[in-house]
Structure formats: C-alpha cells, structure tokens
C-alpha cells in the first residue's frame, strides 16, 4: 500500500473546498444549536436555497453571479422567517419537525417538473459560476508542497471558501462575546430568566435563526460554485446530520468547534476510504470480506464507531464543554 497517497488524499480532503463548505454550514448550525439551543434539523434547506439562488439567477434569469449571491441570501432570510415565525413561540421540537420537513419539501419541490423551467428539475443547473473563476488572480499552474497539490482553479475556490470560514468565525466570535451573544447564550440556559429581564426571547431566536441560515446559504453557494453545478438530490437530510456529526466532533458551543470538526471529519473519512481501497487492491483485504463497492458504506460505519466512542468518553467533543450539550427543550 502507498501510504503517501493515502495521507495525501486525507490531507487534500481535510483542507479542501468541501471541508470548508461544511465548516461554513456548521458555523451557522453552531449558532443555532450550540449557542441559542435551537434544534434545527434542516440546515441543508438553507444551503439549498442559497445554491439555487445563485444558480437560477445566472442560468435561468441571466443575472450576474454577484446579484445571485444577494438573491440567495434573501431567500435564506425568507426561509428563516417562514420557519421561525410560526414555530419559535412553541416548544423546541416543533422547530425541529418544521426544519427537517422543510428541507425535504424544498428538495422535492426543486426537482419537480413544475419547477423545472427555473431549477432544471432532476437535472439541475450547470456552468453558472464563470464570473467567479474569471476573477481568479492565480496564474494557471499547479501549486503545493509536501503531499499537497492543487490546480489554480481549486486553489482559488479553496482560498475563497476558507476565507469565508475565517470571516464568519471572526463574526461569530465577536457576536457571542457581545451583549447580543450573552442574551442568546442565556436563552439556551434558561428562557424564563431571560424573559424576566424584559428581553424578547422570540425576537432573539428569530435573529439567530436568520443569521445562522444566511451563513448556511453561503455554504450552499460555495458548494455550487465549486462544483459548477447544482442538483436537488445533493441536498438531502443526510447533509444536516453530517453537519451535526462534525459539530459534535469539534465541540458545540465553541467558536472553532465546527472548523476543527469539519477538517477531522473529511480527513478521517477520506483516509479510511483510500486505505480500504488500497488494501483491497493489494490483496490485504479479501474482496469476499469487503468488496470495492462496499467501501463507501464501511468508511461511514468506521466513522460512526469512532463517533460512538467519542460520545461515550468525551460527549462534549474535542474543544467543547459538557454543559454546552445539555439542552432544556421544555
């Protein structure tokens, strides 16, 4: 087995554009779950409307990519209002039900024949991010060091994605240490105490939902731009549970938790994938035990096993505090 290739694949995945996209989406989810105590099981819905806000604006309506970014952000705000206004006055589980349902409803709607003239239906939309790559200042070449190597195109997408992660991480760090941030953290701990001080719990929850959703929509945009395509089936509920996995791994309620969790999640997942495939090719693992088509499922099983052990021995995650995981959903 070639360990250099295995490590190279893991490192490229751990710091690649997809890891940055998931870190960005998890930052928004961390604001919801880690800081405000909102059980949002539909973060993928915000990614979906953000991605299609960009893609449809360019491919269907002929607008510029930068206008599409504004459209995607506006769609995420509208979605947050539609989900939050009727549910945030109720028990926490109502928001959880509404968000997971909204994610699946939107996916099915965007892939329907009725929406096909705008969304492309089951075929999605392609080649709408040329404006983004046209402003790439990096000369066309290969760049890297040690085991890492990226094309100019990938390096541009990677740089912008991680730049957004750094920017949103800084924003969240400033917000959670501001008076606004202290209020939402208090809401997570005890809503009644916050109400007794004259604060509108409903308004603060809605603001948190809108801001975290907007960050999630940015992640959806970057995923669409990196792939130069969008398809509704790429935004299924499993994505949200991946986000919770890496958030728990890194530590909920910690500024850097989503970033560390995303890097480790994708690096470990790719490490097992590459390791198993090379082991099968080298005859170390017999195809009768694990066949090549089964590697995808096995790697998730191994990551799941690791997560179970983490929940047993350190449920707060790598950077987290145990109390951050305790939610009162009464």
């Amino acid at each position: 087995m070639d360990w250099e290739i295995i490590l190279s694949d893991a490192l490229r995945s751990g710091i690649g554009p997809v890891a940055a996209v998931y870190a960005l989406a998890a930052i928004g989810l961390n604001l919801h779950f880690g800081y405000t105590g909102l059980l949002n099981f539909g973060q993928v819905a915000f990614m979906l409307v953000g991605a299609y806000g960009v893609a449809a604006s360019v491919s269907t309506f002929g607008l510029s990519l930068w206008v599409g970014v504004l459209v995607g952000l506006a769609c995420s705000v509208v979605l947050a209002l539609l989900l939050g206004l009727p549910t945030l006055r109720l028990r926490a589980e109502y928001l959880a039900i509404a968000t997971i349902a909204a994610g699946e409803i939107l996916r099915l709607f965007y892939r329907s024949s009725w929406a096909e003239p705008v969304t492309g239906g089951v075929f999605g939309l392609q080649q709408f991010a040329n404006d983004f790559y046209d402003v790439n200042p990096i000369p066309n070449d290969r760049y890297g060091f040690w085991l890492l190597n990226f094309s100019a195109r990938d390096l541009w997408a990677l740089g912008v994605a991680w730049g957004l992660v750094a920017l949103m991480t800084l924003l969240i760090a400033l917000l959670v240490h501001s008076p606004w941030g202290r209020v939402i953290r208090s809401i997570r701990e005890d809503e009644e105490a916050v109400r007794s001080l004259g604060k509108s719990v409903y308004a603060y929850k809605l603001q948190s939902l809108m801001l975290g959703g907007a960050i999630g929509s940015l992640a959806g945009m970057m995923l669409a731009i990196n792939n130069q395509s969008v398809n509704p089936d790429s935004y299924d509920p499993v994505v949200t549970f991946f986000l919770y996995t890496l958030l728990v791994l890194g530590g909920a309620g910690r500024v850097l938790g989503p970033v560390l969790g995303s890097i480790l999640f994708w690096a470990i997942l790719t490490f097992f994938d590459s390791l198993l495939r090379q082991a099968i090719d080298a005859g170390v693992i017999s195809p009768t035990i694990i066949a090549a088509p089964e590697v995808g499922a096995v790697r998730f099983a191994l990551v799941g096993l690791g997560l179970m052990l983490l929940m047993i021995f350190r449920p707060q995650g790598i950077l987290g505090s145990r109390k951050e995981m305790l939610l009162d959903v009464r």
Side-chain angles (χ1 to χ4, degrees):
M1 293 189 296
D2 192 333
W3 287 99
E4 186 172 307
I5 293 177
I6 294 172
L7 291 175
S8 175
D9 290 344
L11 288 173
R12 281 175 54 86
S13 183
I15 66 169
V18 174
V21 164
Y22 274 74
L24 193 58
I27 288 170
L29 186 61
N30 194 31
L31 181 62
H32 294 160
F33 174 72
Y35 288 111
T36 318
L38 299 177
L39 293 177
N40 171 18
F41 288 138
Q43 185 72 345
V44 70
F46 293 102
M47 296 175 68
L48 175 66
V49 298
Y52 270 94
V54 167
S57 294
V58 176
S59 297
T60 306
F61 299 105
L63 302 174
S64 75
L65 180 75
W66 316 112
V67 173
V69 170
L70 297 178
V71 171
L73 288 171
C75 289
S76 71
V77 171
V78 171
L79 178 60
L81 291 172
L82 290 174
L83 293 173
L85 287 174
T87 62
L88 289 178
R89 293 186 188 275
L90 305 174
R91 288 164 58 96
E93 57 264 32
Y94 289 99
L95 177 64
I97 294 167
T99 51
I100 195 171
E104 190 64 2
I105 289 168
L106 285 172
R107 184 184 71 84
L108 295 174
F109 172 74
Y110 275 60
R111 77 191 305 275
S112 68
S113 58
W114 188 87
E116 187 171 347
V118 175
T119 66
V122 295
F123 303 104
L125 300 170
Q126 295 81 33
Q127 300 300 316
F128 47 80
N130 292 331
D131 287 352
F132 176 81
Y133 292 105
D134 287 344
V135 298
N136 181 2
I138 303 173
N140 189 22
D141 202 348
R142 303 265 335 161
Y143 300 88
F145 63 95
W146 192 39
L147 300 177
L148 300 174
N149 193 276
F150 296 97
S151 67
R153 180 189 182 280
D154 290 341
L155 193 61
W156 173 236
L158 184 151
V160 172
W162 281 111
L164 284 172
V165 169
L167 186 62
M168 292 301 108
T169 299
L170 178 61
L171 175 64
I172 295 300
L174 293 173
L175 284 175
V176 298
H177 292 97
S178 69
W180 183 85
R182 286 191 286 273
V183 172
I184 64 167
R185 292 166 78 179
S186 299
I187 290 172
R188 180 196 62 200
E189 301 297 335
D190 192 337
E191 288 186 17
E192 296 303 323
V194 176
R195 288 193 183 94
S196 69
L197 296 174
K199 301 293 184 179
S200 173
V201 170
Y202 176 68
Y204 277 93
K205 282 185 174 182
L206 191 59
Q207 292 165 21
S208 176
L209 185 64
M210 291 167 62
L211 179 57
I215 296 173
S217 75
L218 286 174
M221 294 177 208
M222 279 309 306
L223 183 60
I225 289 170
N226 180 62
N227 295 335
Q228 271 277 39
S229 68
V230 288
N231 186 289
D233 293 331
S234 299
Y235 299 87
D236 61 18
V238 173
V239 174
T240 297
F241 293 102
F242 282 176
L243 295 176
Y244 269 104
T245 299
L246 62 90
L247 183 58
V248 171
L249 175 62
R254 288 292 180 266
V255 171
L256 293 177
V259 180
L260 179 62
S262 183
I263 293 172
L264 291 177
F265 176 80
W266 286 106
I268 293 170
L269 197 66
T270 306
F271 175 83
F272 281 128
D273 184 274
S274 184
L275 177 66
L276 290 170
R277 292 186 189 281
Q278 289 217 23
I280 292 170
D281 292 340
V284 177
I285 298 177
S286 171
T288 58
I289 299 175
I290 301 176
E294 298 170 339
V295 168
V298 173
R299 63 174 184 164
F300 281 115
L302 292 173
V303 171
L305 176 62
L307 186 64
M308 289 171 60
L309 294 174
L310 181 72
M311 295 302 294
I312 293 170
F313 296 106
R314 191 173 174 83
Q316 67 269 35
I318 296 172
L319 299 178
S321 171
R322 192 180 186 90
K323 65 179 182 180
E324 306 289 355
M325 300 298 295
L326 302 176
L327 295 178
D328 181 1
V329 296
R330 290 177 298 174

